[in-house]
Amino acid sequence: MKKFLLTMSMVCLCVFTYAQSMQISGKVTAADDGMGLPGVSVTILGTTRGTTTDAEGDYKIEASKGSNLVYSFVGMNSQTVLVGSQRVINVALASDLNQLSEVVVTALGVSREKKSLGYAVQEVGGDQVSTVKQQNFVNSLSGKVAGLQIRQNQTMGGSTNVL
């Protein structure tokens, strides 16, 4: 009798725990053109669990009812969505209008004003970098600054080298 009660309580506990989480899927798009965004970070607020969108902007994640999903992407405003009873959540992210205006890079990370430097300075504006869409910001600097070499690593998980 004790074994039966113990077994039944374990089964009920497992069913209750399983019923709390569900698989959420959806698509993350850009609000201005409706195209799917690859590489968007989808995380559960307050946890380290998350996923990223695929090449078409689709994602899948296990989440429980009442948790918040946070969608974030470079150059876009982050968005938080409360998980209810829906299993499909589609999100459109708007462009962040507060973009970087100017960067002055000097040796050893020394900050200087452009007019106080005793050597030639090149300026790369935000519109020049965003003209050609790349996987990351560093790759879009290729060919824009004299003497700057960008070496893209072709292996899985490799990083871009800047010389």
Side-chain angles (χ1 to χ4, degrees):
M1 183 68 173
K2 289 181 183 181
K3 287 184 182 180
F4 177 72
L5 289 176
L6 181 62
T7 305
M8 289 306 292
S9 64
M10 292 300 285
V11 168
C12 290
L13 181 64
C14 290
V15 169
F16 179 73
T17 305
Y18 180 74
Q20 293 299 315
S21 69
M22 59 185 165
Q23 184 165 347
I24 306 294
S25 62
K27 185 169 189 162
V28 181
T29 58
D32 53 353
D33 61 2
M35 297 293 293
L37 293 173
V40 175
S41 174
V42 182
T43 58
I44 300 172
L45 187 65
T47 68
T48 57
R49 291 184 38 219
T51 187
T52 57
T53 58
D54 63 9
E56 286 81 33
D58 297 320
Y59 72 95
K60 291 181 182 177
I61 189 169
E62 286 283 329
S64 59
K65 186 176 179 180
S67 60
N68 289 310
L69 295 179
V70 179
Y71 301 84
S72 58
F73 190 65
V74 176
M76 301 285 202
N77 289 325
S78 295
Q79 190 171 345
T80 303
V81 176
L82 178 67
V83 176
S85 60
Q86 72 272 29
R87 295 197 181 264
V88 177
I89 300 175
N90 295 321
V91 175
L93 295 180
S95 295
D96 186 7
L97 300 178
N98 297 329
Q99 295 181 2
L100 187 61
S101 60
E102 180 178 282
V103 175
V104 176
V105 179
T106 62
L108 301 174
V110 177
S111 300
R112 306 263 180 174
E113 289 187 30
K114 186 167 48 171
K115 62 184 176 184
S116 70
L117 296 174
Y119 45 87
V121 176
Q122 274 189 286
E123 185 174 319
V124 178
D127 57 338
Q128 293 172 324
V129 175
S130 64
T131 304
V132 178
K133 301 289 184 193
Q134 291 288 331
Q135 292 177 349
N136 64 30
F137 171 74
V138 175
N139 289 346
S140 62
L141 288 174
S142 180
K144 305 262 189 313
V145 178
L148 181 68
Q149 296 177 9
I150 306 293
R151 294 184 183 166
Q152 297 179 17
N153 195 336
Q154 301 299 327
T155 61
M156 185 71 127
S159 62
T160 302
N161 295 327
V162 180
L163 301 174

